[in-house]
Amino acid sequence: MTTQVTNPITQEDIQVGEIANGLPLTIPVYRIKGDGTGPKVYIQANMHGAEVQGNAVIYQLLEQLKHMHLTADITLVPYANPIGCNQKSGEFTLGRFDPITGTNWNRMYQDNSHLVKEFANKHLESDIETIKNEFRQTLISEVDKVLDGPAYAITTGKRIALNLQKLAHQADIVLDLHTGPISSKHLYCPEYAKPSASYFDIPNVLMIPNDFDGAMDEANFCPWWNLTEAFATLGKELPIAVEAFTVELGSQELIDLKEAKHDANSILSYLTYKEAFTDSQYQPKTMQRYVCELKDYIAFYAPMGGMVEYLAPLGSHIKSGEPIANILRMERYLSEQPLQSICLDQDAITILHFASASVNQGTELYKFFTNYELLT
């Protein structure tokens, strides 16, 4: 008879700032302890205010993790940006950009890759475990330097981001849960972690280079990637110790608990592959997965203003010359053709489109995978 596992879940509310009335700005952090033999895992959701599905996924993960035999220590952070999820305009949630500075909330993390060269030279003779432990602590200390520095030098968004980054730097696996405006599921995957992409139940994979652009996944994998390269130039082999992904779960302004269960199972499949459990039965679904380089992930901007009927289904493979949208311009009804058919001039996979039917000329109407191939 199998003994029922019940793992204790602890909660800590971490202060990440203060709001205008002087009260603390806090986020909930849930932790589940494993037996200490597996990886450390960090999962966060809702950095962008309208991207709420990740909170439902964290709920479904907690519901399952508390009954599993864990080797991994797992930290889960819903509501990662408490300001963003409360940024409302009428019935809509904004929360993609800091309303004070205009900066994308997910572009405020700190690049610590500058630490790599000196660290590699100092630890050329160190063993791999020492290198991992020391470099992890170096990254955390670098974040602490800013958080412990003059309070006047840090914006609201930067303070939130650094507190989250400090948590993430303690992990071997980092998953940042997002959604698009109106979107299909897709995965941002660093080039070295390509084999791992097959363990998520996500059909479209975007391969990203080792270029830091301010996002959570980059803040975590870029320093480790760069450290491996630095040691390689010194003649020492070091496996890349951290995998970090941005997981795009679908569309914003939507909670779907049934779909969240599927998304949680997808993450558990990947974590099974990473040996986070001792007895997991989670396996990736059999599906065709497609991969696209970041340079071939193109935006299609509205060639004219008007009211848009989106024709290209999300996740669909469209052919060159196939209509992707109709744009209605009623001001032209009596003078010329009011309905304009819009096409794409190359084969593509439809990943996401703008949330509104009302667009200005130059609005980012769609994003497409082009020059894609099967993930192998």
Side-chain angles (χ1 to χ4, degrees):
M1 177 180 290
T2 302
T3 303
Q4 178 69 50
V5 177
T6 303
N7 298 310
I9 301 170
T10 62
Q11 178 178 346
E12 179 185 7
D13 294 330
I14 293 180
Q15 184 170 338
V16 295
E18 296 178 356
I19 52 177
N21 62 4
L23 293 177
L25 186 67
T26 63
I27 57 173
V29 177
Y30 296 97
R31 293 185 174 93
I32 308 180
K33 295 284 290 182
D35 66 14
T37 64
K40 290 181 170 57
V41 179
Y42 174 83
I43 303 173
Q44 73 172 34
N46 207 182
M47 190 60 185
H48 289 140
E51 300 180 12
V52 294
Q53 177 70 357
N55 298 319
V57 174
I58 286 179
Y59 165 75
Q60 296 287 22
L61 283 169
L62 286 168
E63 285 292 285
Q64 295 175 80
L65 288 169
K66 64 186 179 183
H67 299 305
M68 298 177 68
H69 291 89
L70 304 182
T71 65
D73 293 341
I74 302 180
T75 301
L76 304 105
V77 183
Y79 310 124
N81 179 1
I83 291 182
C85 67
N86 287 291
Q87 252 180 279
K88 305 292 289 190
S89 179
E91 63 188 279
F92 300 104
T93 310
L94 303 179
R96 185 171 183 81
F97 303 97
D98 183 330
I100 306 301
T101 66
T103 304
N104 186 324
W105 289 112
N106 193 38
R107 294 296 183 273
M108 302 190 203
Y109 298 100
Q110 180 169 293
D111 182 11
N112 290 323
S113 296
H114 64 281
L115 303 169
V116 164
K117 185 175 181 180
E118 180 180 348
F119 183 92
N121 283 306
K122 180 180 178 181
H123 288 274
L124 186 58
E125 302 303 322
S126 299
D127 62 80
I128 290 177
E129 282 306 307
T130 298
I131 289 170
K132 289 180 180 178
N133 293 333
E134 291 291 327
F135 191 59
R136 178 166 282 119
Q137 190 54 53
T138 298
L139 294 174
I140 294 169
S141 297
E142 194 70 9
V143 172
D144 275 336
K145 283 182 186 178
V146 183
L147 287 172
D148 296 337
Y152 63 78
I154 313 177
T155 65
T156 301
K158 188 75 170 179
R159 185 175 296 278
I160 293 171
L162 289 176
N163 275 285
L164 295 170
Q165 186 172 349
K166 182 177 177 179
L167 292 173
H169 275 326
Q170 298 169 43
D172 308 296
I173 295 168
V174 176
L175 303 180
D176 191 12
L177 309 184
H178 284 257
T179 70
I182 306 297
S183 178
S184 61
K185 294 179 186 180
H186 54 291
L187 181 72
Y188 283 78
C189 177
E191 292 171 350
Y192 69 88
K194 185 177 179 181
S196 293
S198 297
Y199 290 88
F200 291 92
D201 296 331
I202 297 178
N204 296 309
V205 179
L206 187 62
M207 302 304 302
I208 56 176
N210 183 25
D211 296 323
F212 181 78
D213 192 33
M216 169 60 91
D217 56 350
E218 299 158 350
N220 284 278
F221 73 70
C222 281
W224 291 96
W225 188 340
N226 291 339
L227 184 66
T228 295
E229 291 180 333
F231 273 121
T233 63
L234 297 172
K236 185 181 184 72
E237 183 177 348
L238 177 73
I240 301 174
V242 169
E243 286 192 354
F245 304 89
T246 295
V247 185
E248 297 280 352
L249 299 166
S251 302
Q252 65 187 22
E253 295 280 40
L254 176 68
I255 286 287
D256 183 331
L257 285 167
K258 183 177 180 180
E259 196 59 34
K261 180 74 174 293
H262 294 308
D263 293 328
N265 291 348
S266 169
I267 290 171
L268 292 172
S269 168
Y270 164 70
L271 293 180
T272 297
Y273 162 65
K274 300 303 289 186
E275 301 182 341
F277 320 113
T278 60
D279 61 348
S280 172
Q281 301 301 309
Y282 292 95
Q283 296 294 324
K285 292 180 180 178
T286 300
M287 63 170 66
Q288 286 191 322
R289 294 170 175 83
Y290 294 89
V291 63
C292 173
E293 300 292 333
L294 184 63
K295 63 182 176 59
D296 294 316
Y297 185 41
I298 66 166
F300 184 96
Y301 300 100
M304 62 187 72
M307 305 294 134
V308 179
E309 178 187 22
Y310 297 96
L311 298 178
L314 295 174
S316 66
H317 292 231
I318 62 171
K319 296 296 184 181
S320 176
E322 185 177 337
I324 61 172
N326 289 323
I327 299 185
L328 181 63
R329 297 174 51 121
M330 285 304 298
E331 86 288 353
R332 297 185 176 187
Y333 186 76
L334 294 177
S335 60
E336 56 183 278
Q337 173 58 252
L339 195 61
Q340 302 291 323
S341 179
I342 306 300
C343 301
L344 189 66
D345 60 0
Q346 55 188 311
D347 293 352
I349 301 174
T350 310
I351 301 299
L352 59 83
H353 67 69
F354 192 58
S356 174
S358 175
V359 304
N360 297 322
Q361 185 181 42
T363 296
E364 186 179 276
L365 207 60
Y366 279 102
K367 294 196 83 170
F368 295 104
F369 278 12
T370 64
N371 299 320
Y372 55 88
E373 58 187 28
L374 278 170
L375 178 66
T376 56

